[in-house]
Amino acid sequence: MRALFAVLFTAICCFASAASAQSLGAYKDKLFSYPKILEKNQDGSFLRLDYRVERDIDERDKIRGAKVQGFYVSRRGRKGQQDLSLNLGGGRIDYARTGQVRGAQWIMVYLHGRGGDRSQGISDYNFGGNFNRLKNLAVRNKGLYLVPSINDFGVKGARDVAALIGHYAAQAPGAKIVLACGSMGGQICWQYLKGQVAVPALSGALMLATHADNQFLASPHLSANGRPLPIVFGHGTLDGAFSWKKTKALFDSIQVARAGYPVRMRLFNTGKHGTPIRMIDWRQELNWIFANG
């Protein structure tokens, strides 16, 4: 009997360990992995990457800046894709989704910048096909991908997005929740990261071409007993909207504030405002967040 209990206990522990160690399988890694590393710090948390327009846009796109070549795209990422609305009591939020709803193991939410809408993050062909890759990673790895249309980047918008996340988190208890925040979408994400607006427990965030908010340095996540929240910063050195140097300064300050804090920065040399969204390696960064969140 003791032997039977031991076997059952071991099986349960192994199952729990496997469930917590979420990892996304390879998908078109050769097409979407990072280019040459130009600069790297000792632990690899900071990388300066060799971005080149001639290779990463001109050779990659069929229609420059608008439509990637077909072999970057797979229709499987559209499985279950829908445009929907969620009533919020006196209002609603429009969004797109693809992937698994009930029992999803992870939920990814992309928040676009000012002037955009849900079509940006659900498109298969813009940004070099990188969103199609994200959709395929979700469909192929029991994930759910959500892209809301944001009309308010203040507290109201943050609460609306949090309600959307809560709606799907309730259908997938235990799912890891990750935010990808592009440009002004970071305005909403910082509200969650600083604890100003409540949101279902996050596992991490990717802050892509967005502003640096130094108030995060006072966040409970950075306290000695706080729960670390993995963050990936992505920026281009020629970003005309937000300064990469301010983001790098915040990245450095986080590392000083709490040694070993899970934070990364991917700097795309000569990259502009949209470059991190085109070039971020979703699989590599999500697997790192899952391992540390």
Side-chain angles (χ1 to χ4, degrees):
M1 182 64 71
R2 288 182 179 177
L4 177 59
F5 279 127
V7 170
L8 290 173
F9 178 79
T10 300
I12 291 171
C13 289
C14 290
F15 175 80
S17 176
S20 62
Q22 175 71 40
S23 181
L24 306 183
Y27 173 72
K28 299 198 176 188
D29 287 12
K30 290 184 179 180
L31 293 177
F32 290 96
S33 61
Y34 289 136
K36 179 182 177 182
I37 297 173
L38 301 177
E39 181 185 349
K40 177 181 179 180
N41 66 353
Q42 187 172 6
D43 63 4
S45 59
F46 173 81
L47 299 179
R48 183 189 290 260
L49 299 160
D50 176 38
Y51 170 77
R52 284 184 284 156
V53 170
E54 297 82 1
R55 178 192 62 213
D56 299 314
I57 294 183
D58 294 341
E59 294 182 9
R60 186 165 170 174
D61 288 0
K62 184 176 181 180
I63 301 174
R64 193 178 195 273
K67 186 174 183 179
V68 74
Q69 296 188 60
F71 56 85
Y72 281 85
V73 172
S74 168
R75 293 181 62 86
R76 185 174 172 184
R78 302 173 187 171
K79 183 178 180 181
Q81 181 171 314
Q82 292 179 282
D83 288 330
L84 301 166
S85 297
L86 178 67
N87 292 322
L88 300 173
R92 73 177 194 183
I93 186 168
D94 299 324
Y95 65 98
R97 81 177 188 203
T98 191
Q100 182 171 323
V101 176
R102 294 191 179 279
Q105 293 183 0
W106 56 285
I107 299 172
M108 180 73 165
V109 186
Y110 174 70
L111 304 179
H112 62 78
R114 192 180 301 279
D117 58 27
R118 59 187 173 181
S119 65
Q120 183 188 89
I122 208 71
S123 171
D124 292 306
Y125 293 98
N126 67 359
F127 290 101
N130 212 16
F131 285 119
N132 181 264
R133 188 192 191 206
L134 181 53
K135 289 161 60 176
N136 271 277
L137 288 172
V139 168
R140 297 163 188 263
N141 293 276
K142 298 181 179 180
L144 174 64
Y145 178 49
L146 303 172
V147 189
S149 288
I150 303 168
N151 299 313
D152 184 311
F153 292 89
V155 173
K156 180 184 183 303
R159 288 174 176 167
D160 288 350
V161 172
L164 176 66
I165 296 172
H167 174 76
Y168 282 100
Q171 300 177 65
K176 292 181 177 293
I177 299 171
V178 181
L179 303 173
C181 318
S183 189
M184 275 295 291
Q187 186 71 30
I188 288 181
C189 294
W190 281 123
Q191 294 180 64
Y192 302 145
L193 301 183
K194 296 184 297 182
Q196 294 175 331
V197 174
V199 67
L202 298 176
S203 293
L206 295 96
M207 308 296 284
L208 306 176
T210 190
H211 67 288
D213 191 331
N214 290 325
Q215 292 182 12
F216 179 72
L217 296 172
S219 166
H221 294 293
L222 287 171
S223 66
N225 298 319
R227 180 179 69 89
L229 184 69
I231 299 176
V232 179
F233 293 109
H235 226 108
T237 62
L238 298 183
D239 189 327
F242 300 111
S243 168
W244 75 266
K245 293 181 180 180
K246 291 182 179 180
T247 298
K248 178 62 162 59
L250 176 57
F251 165 80
D252 292 337
S253 296
I254 291 172
Q255 292 191 315
V256 170
R258 183 170 177 179
Y261 191 91
V263 60
R264 283 181 162 186
M265 183 169 180
R266 277 45 185 134
L267 182 64
F268 298 94
N269 203 51
T270 75
K272 296 185 179 180
H273 190 53
T275 300
I277 297 173
R278 169 180 281 263
M279 298 299 295
I280 198 75
D281 185 336
W282 297 116
R283 177 174 176 261
Q284 181 181 128
E285 304 306 344
L286 282 170
N287 280 340
W288 175 80
I289 287 173
F290 292 151
N292 290 277

